[in-house]
Amino acid sequence: MKLYSDEELAVILDGQPIFRLIGRVADEAGVECYVVGGYVRDLFLERPNDDIDVVVVGSGIDIATRLKKQLGRKAHLSVFKNFGTAQVKINSDPNTLHYPLEVEFVGARRESYSHDSRKPIVEDGTLEDDQNRRDFTINAMAICLNEKRFGELVDPFNGLADLEDGIIATPLDPEITFSDDPLRMLRCIRFATQLNFQIEGATFEALEHMADRIKIVSSERIITELNKIIMARHPSKGFVDLQRCGLLNIILPELSALDIVEQKNGRAHKNNFYHTLEVLENVAREESGAGLYLRWAALLHDIGKTKTKRWDPAIGWTFHNHNYVGMKMVAPLFRRLKLPLGPELHYVEKLVELHMRPQAIADDIVTDSAVRRLLNDAGDDIDDLMTLCEADITSKNEVKKKIFLENFRMVREKLTDLVEKDYKRLLQPCIDGNEIMQLFGLKPSREVGQLKQCLKDAVLDNRVENEREPLMQLLMQKAEEMGLTRVQ
């Protein structure tokens, strides 16, 4: 972070000519205007931010309209009268549709809330009123754009000091702030995660006291913040805070439930919540930058362990079939959180279900047959599956960890060899279900599935070539065993 004087701020803002122009337009209209919020915060943090928010002590729509007239064809104006806001998209080349700069205008306002709604009652207000309604001190700073005070920082809540100290705090009483708009609780943890800041003590206590208020927030709003936490450089920090304050148990109880260690006869299983966060961190460290849904797969890969945990006196704690049970839990969770129910859901389900397979192969002799089946089941997601499985190695025993990683390296080599030999093209038998139904006069049924599986197993195990003649012989043999007769 870097501290700037008002004179230095003026020089920095002059690097973006639009600020002087907005100030002149406001002076002509006889109103005060300020750039506020995230743009100001990130200016001190020396982080890029193209989201410019301007507060006008008066009509934001009027100043936006005047600015559009000044810019002519270089700008596009959108007005949202119901919200009292306007947006100006500015383009240096009016012959293109690309707008490199967007500025949001809003009139300064004060807000009040009813207990059962996030929608505020809005009234015109002063700059002080507008700063009072901001979520956090680091987002409540404003820089004046009017000519006489251009570059002057207005920081009534010492947001700059909190920024320097790495603290997330609310401008006013945090319990009132979170009660008024409970989504701010998630934003609090999101900012702390993204910026690697600490949440101030009273603010964190308010998170604990007010956690239940999150229930009035829509799933769509919640998932937006949750996804930003997941995509942070160190997402585990956010999930630890969510768990500590009680929000996680409300939003993602399946994950929260993993935070337990049971002991029997002196033997304890590991804390699968913190193990999961280690896996998530390992995935997030991938040089290629793990995508959102690979991170979701890491977060959910062990959620089935709560339901499958058993004590076996002979071997200790077991979690048999937790991958399959966990896979079945993914779709209801996605529906509840309003996550996509298309390819993204199926991708996460697949990775959760298959995440034990590479380990089972690596623990045994790495055969072509086993790897070929894995490749067939994982399809184009095989590389992400292997990334997840390698991230799942969180053993503190370095010797054991080295052995696991070496085994996975062998599995990857075998996968590469098989792909190079074009096995991928040969995985599906050349006789399909439609032809089987025609041959034996069948409709879609269990018998058709059994015949298809017989052919598929034979190809995957390399017992027959994936060619029509040997597969047809095997098909007829299996059909005869099942009492089926070929249609003439």
Side-chain angles (χ1 to χ4, degrees):
M1 140 165 211
K2 193 164 184 179
L3 298 176
Y4 300 103
S5 66
D6 290 353
E7 291 76 17
E8 289 172 322
L9 288 174
V11 171
I12 293 170
L13 292 182
D14 274 334
Q16 183 60 268
I18 191 63
F19 290 121
R20 285 283 185 184
L21 181 55
I22 293 170
R24 284 199 297 271
V25 169
D27 284 338
E28 289 171 5
V31 296
E32 298 175 24
C33 72
Y34 303 82
V35 58
V36 298
Y39 187 90
V40 178
R41 176 198 70 224
D42 288 345
L43 189 152
F44 287 103
L45 289 175
E46 299 181 280
R47 299 170 73 218
N49 190 333
D50 295 328
D51 294 329
I52 301 175
D53 293 314
V54 173
V55 163
V56 178
V57 185
S59 171
I61 293 176
D62 177 58
I63 298 303
T65 304
R66 289 169 181 257
L67 180 65
K68 158 62 181 169
K69 287 181 181 178
Q70 290 272 348
L71 293 167
R73 291 178 59 236
K74 289 183 179 180
H76 174 77
L77 172 67
S78 299
V79 175
F80 309 97
K81 287 186 178 180
N82 289 344
F83 299 97
T85 66
Q87 179 190 69
V88 178
K89 294 183 178 180
I90 303 161
N91 185 356
S92 57
D93 181 1
N95 295 314
T96 73
L97 295 177
H98 176 61
Y99 295 96
L101 194 61
E102 297 180 5
V103 185
E104 299 276 350
F105 290 85
V106 65
R109 60 195 187 186
R110 68 167 62 94
E111 296 177 346
S112 56
Y113 293 80
S114 62
H115 185 75
D116 59 350
S117 173
R118 288 184 57 240
K119 294 182 179 179
I121 300 168
V122 179
E123 302 173 278
D124 292 340
T126 64
L127 175 65
E128 182 182 3
D129 291 328
D130 201 88
Q131 289 177 300
N132 285 342
R133 73 178 181 85
R134 299 278 162 176
D135 51 8
F136 307 110
T137 61
I138 62 172
N139 294 333
M141 297 181 287
I143 301 175
C144 187
L145 299 181
N146 297 91
E147 181 65 29
K148 289 184 178 180
R149 298 169 53 210
F150 190 81
E152 178 184 314
L153 177 67
V154 183
D155 182 18
F157 303 109
N158 295 315
L160 195 57
D162 286 347
L163 207 57
E164 191 174 14
D165 293 338
I167 290 174
I168 303 293
T170 59
L172 304 178
D173 183 330
E175 292 208 7
I176 295 175
T177 297
F178 294 150
S179 179
D180 284 349
D181 185 356
L183 184 64
R184 289 171 174 168
M185 294 188 287
L186 284 183
R187 285 171 56 82
C188 176
I189 291 174
R190 189 251 291 181
F191 280 121
T193 306
Q194 289 178 326
L195 301 175
N196 195 26
F197 280 17
Q198 296 302 311
I199 300 171
E200 179 262 340
T203 303
F204 194 86
E205 287 178 10
L207 289 176
E208 294 176 296
H209 296 159
M210 307 304 296
D212 205 52
R213 286 281 287 158
I214 200 68
K215 292 177 181 178
I216 73 166
V217 180
S218 70
S219 295
E220 290 86 353
R221 294 283 190 173
I222 288 173
I223 203 60
T224 296
E225 295 300 324
L226 207 54
N227 281 342
K228 289 178 181 179
I229 293 171
I230 290 173
M231 288 304 294
R233 185 174 180 181
H234 293 292
S236 64
K237 173 178 168 53
F239 284 97
V240 169
D241 283 342
L242 287 169
Q243 179 72 340
R244 286 175 56 223
C245 73
L247 280 168
L248 192 65
N249 189 48
I250 299 170
I251 298 168
L252 263 179
E254 300 90 341
L255 180 63
S256 178
L258 295 175
D259 188 10
I260 187 173
V261 175
E262 286 193 60
Q263 191 174 57
K264 201 161 187 175
N265 295 350
R267 300 174 72 175
H269 62 78
K270 65 186 173 186
N271 185 306
N272 287 302
F273 174 72
Y274 287 99
H275 161 73
T276 294
L277 297 189
E278 282 190 73
V279 177
L280 179 61
E281 283 291 314
N282 289 342
V283 165
R285 273 197 290 269
E286 282 295 302
E287 290 183 10
S288 58
L292 175 63
Y293 292 99
L294 177 52
R295 294 184 185 215
W296 267 107
L299 199 63
L300 303 181
H301 79 284
D302 271 351
I303 57 172
K305 283 190 170 180
T306 305
K307 293 185 176 181
T308 58
K309 181 168 62 177
R310 301 288 185 273
W311 169 257
D312 184 331
I315 57 177
W317 293 102
T318 66
F319 304 92
H320 294 313
N321 292 323
H322 76 271
N323 54 315
Y324 179 76
V325 172
M327 180 270 290
K328 291 291 187 182
M329 295 168 67
V330 173
L333 184 153
F334 266 49
R335 289 191 193 96
R336 187 182 74 240
L337 292 178
K338 300 296 191 293
L339 282 160
L341 300 180
E344 298 88 349
L345 166 63
H346 303 316
Y347 168 89
V348 174
E349 286 180 321
K350 180 194 291 186
L351 264 59
V352 171
E353 181 181 14
L354 296 180
H355 80 271
M356 299 294 292
R357 284 275 293 281
Q359 180 65 60
I361 293 172
D363 285 344
D364 205 344
I365 298 173
V366 184
T367 65
D368 279 4
S369 177
V371 175
R372 192 181 294 115
R373 285 176 175 275
L374 176 64
L375 182 57
N376 177 71
D377 292 342
D380 292 336
D381 301 317
I382 185 64
D383 194 56
D384 283 354
L385 176 62
M386 292 302 299
T387 297
L388 173 60
C389 293
E390 287 162 349
D392 200 15
I393 302 171
T394 61
S395 172
K396 300 301 181 285
N397 184 323
E398 290 301 321
V399 174
K400 189 176 179 181
K401 191 172 182 177
K402 186 176 180 180
I403 293 171
F404 282 149
L405 289 173
E406 176 62 20
N407 288 346
F408 277 132
R409 186 191 63 77
M410 293 170 59
V411 173
R412 278 193 181 271
E413 283 185 358
K414 186 72 73 172
L415 284 166
T416 301
D417 290 344
L418 289 177
V419 172
E420 287 176 355
K421 292 175 184 176
D422 204 19
Y423 271 117
K424 205 172 180 184
R425 179 176 59 83
L426 302 175
L427 290 176
Q428 292 298 329
C430 59
I431 299 174
D432 63 15
N434 289 327
E435 185 173 359
I436 291 172
M437 287 189 284
Q438 291 176 357
L439 284 170
F440 299 101
L442 297 171
K443 293 182 178 181
S445 59
R446 184 169 57 87
E447 287 82 1
V448 176
Q450 288 176 329
L451 292 171
K452 282 176 61 180
Q453 192 63 48
C454 173
L455 299 184
K456 186 174 183 179
D457 288 343
V459 171
L460 291 174
D461 292 336
N462 209 26
R463 287 187 277 112
V464 298
E465 294 294 325
N466 192 5
E467 296 175 358
R468 186 169 185 79
E469 185 175 341
L471 281 177
M472 188 61 76
Q473 290 179 1
L474 178 61
L475 176 63
M476 292 304 166
Q477 179 183 334
K478 181 65 176 176
E480 183 178 353
E481 293 173 5
M482 295 170 61
L484 299 175
T485 305
R486 182 172 179 174
V487 176
Q488 298 300 320

